[in-house]
Amino acid sequence: MTTVRTLLGLPGLRPHPSTAEDLLDRAVTRIYVTELPDPGRYLTAGELVLSGLLWWRAPGDAEPFVAALAAGGAAALAASGADAGGIPEDVIDTCARHGVPLLEVPPDLSFAVVTERVVLALAAAADGARKRLLTAAAEDAPLEDLLARAAKELGTACWVLSGVPRVVAGTAALPVSAAEPVRQFAAARARPTAAGGLTVLPVESRHAVPWLLAVDGPLSTAQTELAEELAGLVGLARARSRPSPAPLGGNVRAVALRTEDSAEADDVLAELLATTGRAVTPTGSRDHTEALALVADDGSWPAGWADDAMTALSTVEPLLRATRILAGVSDAVPAAESRGAFEVARHALSLAADREGDVVVVPAAALGVHQLLLAGASTDLRAALRRRLLGPLLDYDAEQHSDLVRTVRVFLECSGSPTRAAKTLHIHVNTLRYRIGRAAELLGVDLTDFVAQVDVYLALTSES
């Protein structure tokens, strides 16, 4: 990284005595020559502003100029007083007040020479930065260490984000929600973009869920080139990392996920579960449109995890090939009972497939026990049981064009209450009682008997 202090090693440039020592450590990214009274609209952060002070005429003129430099994040002002009889006190005082480092350019040193020397220094620093980053990558440095070195070279904070979204690693607290730059990147059709004060670049890899490199603030050309180099190295680091399955004890949950029309399920599920911060054991599948995994549950599993997962998957969905993303999650069970948890997760996934939406996540709580029991029976067996228990009722409805089947189901779902069932069906309660009596007669059972109610209800729901 090139700093103001670094440039003081160039022949001719020297700090004005009024400049505080700590201001000399500011990063310099490029040089900008101007004589505009207010150059604010043309400034980018980190610029060394070179000026002959031709804009200065009287005390007070320095305020708009220096204030624009401070607001724009200029690294320093390098000024020549050759045409102003020296640097005016107005400029010196205003720079001190705004905290803008002030460098003196000798009258006999041309701006062309200063510009050339600074450009060469920046180019040399950029080459050195690339070499240092490549060295770190060759040493297989952890991603956190690679980002720390890159932040030092870039002179600004940086982060690696997953499209799920989550912060994979970073050198500071992310100033915005991780979802914001991901959405902006998706809106830009997966191209480098600016979002929330960040510059966001793609990390090239073969993974289905993309990683992004976010760098704080707008970047100069040299910084952009270095950031692109870093993005490539992050991609290599991701390719090298192969998380090993974590041994699980205590309670676990099973999660099943499907990416329709694409083989992206393994990667999507891995990235989704990485947001939980819990130990995960994936289960391999030949069909990569569906993935399964066990997740440790220490009792602090969020009650709204299904909603959180839907939000996360909806954020990354525009960046995937899948037409729909579906998921089901089981209840927490002891690890020894994980096979049953997988069955529950699969049935929740089946229920998700029947619901509308591009992204659907169904928790085990949405599954009735009767649904799980029926799911274990084959389609033919369920049809046979339905015919055995409901045959006369089904035939009657078909012949009489009536709707006794629906009446009985609503009656049972209203806990056998004639009043509630009649209100739900928008009929008189006496009409309801007549229909239930007729249905009981056809079925040959007492529909007020609990065991009979269970049998009939299972038959009624065996088709759904």
Side-chain angles (χ1 to χ4, degrees), residues 397-414:
D397 274 357
E399 293 172 1
Q400 301 297 324
H401 304 290
S402 61
D403 202 6
L404 283 184
V405 170
R406 179 169 178 264
T407 300
V408 172
R409 178 162 183 165
V410 171
F411 173 71
L412 295 178
E413 289 178 345
C414 289

Side-chain angles (χ1 to χ4, degrees), residues 106-179:
D108 58 348
L109 185 61
S110 73
F111 279 11
V113 172
V114 174
T115 300
E116 180 181 4
R117 289 174 177 174
V118 171
V119 169
L120 290 175
L122 291 173
D127 289 340
R130 289 192 186 91
K131 290 178 182 178
R132 287 187 288 272
L133 285 182
L134 287 170
T135 300
E139 294 172 351
D140 203 14
L143 185 57
E144 292 79 3
D145 291 352
L146 182 61
L147 285 185
R149 296 191 191 188
K152 185 176 180 181
E153 302 294 349
L154 289 166
T156 188
C158 50
W159 302 264
V160 173
L161 309 176
S162 166
V164 167
R166 66 184 175 97
V167 178
V168 180
T171 59
L174 190 67
V176 296
S177 162

